[in-house]
Amino acid sequence: DVVMTQSPLSLPVTLGQPASISCRSSQSLVHSDGKTHLNWFQQRPGQSPRRLIYQVSNRDSGVPDRFSGSGSDTDFTLKISSVEAEDVGVYYCMQGTHWPRTFGRGTKVEIK
Amino acid sequence: EVQLLESGGGLVQPGESLRLSCATSGFTFSDYAMTWVRQAPGKGLEWVSSIAYIGTFYADSVRGRFTISRDDSKNTVYLQMNSLRVEDTAVYYCAKNFKDVGEYWGQGTQVTVSS
């Protein structure tokens, strides 16, 4: 199975400051269709997960543009350009290239 | 508006069965793959199963015990869970796929397996 390694697992951030989460996969996530299926999800406390980014860098509808995804092959990053209070929660990367699908362990974002 | 509503969770003993349902609305159900993801208490997300036009797929931890299916006439996806174990205790979410897993998620249904 593809192992997704996120870092850090805990990220205290200051409001208005940028934040960055890394996700590395144990195998290349380039699919035979030519696309790289790496997704990012946000789970606020007490809520269902919400997808923010699909295929590395595409924001889902309604996702603020302060969220951006980048990377390739096995190395990916989620960036928040200016953290707001509503961004508190756990962020997960997930690969959709190989079966079984696998998630990272999650990165808990909290306000300092 | 896309909506997904899970039901069927509950408290069961080890070895028993449950069938989860996820009723959907707001999109052409038959056009999309669907996925079940679970979250054990205080833990992260775990992909469980997906159903797509190319077939059905399962996590190793549930293969042979769980069966995913869909009824396009009812806009509903199911997860039949047999031989339940204590470690299957979790909130189970269904999700609509678009460009990959999880464009939309339901609110989840709690499954507790305990003697």
Side-chain angles (χ1 to χ4, degrees), chain B residues 1-113:
Chain B
E1 179 191 7
V2 172
Q3 292 189 329
L4 297 89
L5 184 62
E6 302 95 336
S7 61
L11 172 62
V12 296
Q13 294 190 339
E16 294 186 338
S17 299
L18 276 177
R19 188 177 82 153
L20 305 184
S21 299
C22 173
T24 73
S25 61
F27 63 100
T28 305
F29 179 75
S30 58
D31 285 350
Y32 294 93
M34 298 293 294
T35 291
W36 288 94
V37 172
R38 68 185 180 184
Q39 187 168 35
K43 301 297 184 182
L45 301 174
E46 180 187 14
W47 174 81
V48 173
S49 180
S50 293
I51 184 166
Y53 74 93
I54 57 174
T56 57
F57 302 86
Y58 300 93
D60 289 345
S61 58
V62 307
R63 186 176 294 111
R65 300 187 299 122
F66 290 13
T67 302
I68 191 171
S69 62
R70 63 191 296 158
D71 186 337
D72 289 351
S73 69
K74 296 182 178 179
N75 296 335
T76 299
V77 61
Y78 304 97
L79 188 67
Q80 177 67 43
M81 304 187 298
N82 298 333
S83 303
L84 281 161
R85 305 168 178 169
V86 171
E87 55 265 35
D88 295 319
T89 295
V91 175
Y92 284 72
Y93 296 100
C94 73
K96 169 186 176 287
N97 288 21
F98 174 67
K99 299 293 187 182
D100 211 333
V101 171
E103 183 194 18
Y104 290 97
W105 296 65
Q107 87 292 341
T109 187
Q110 175 70 49
V111 171
T112 302
V113 185

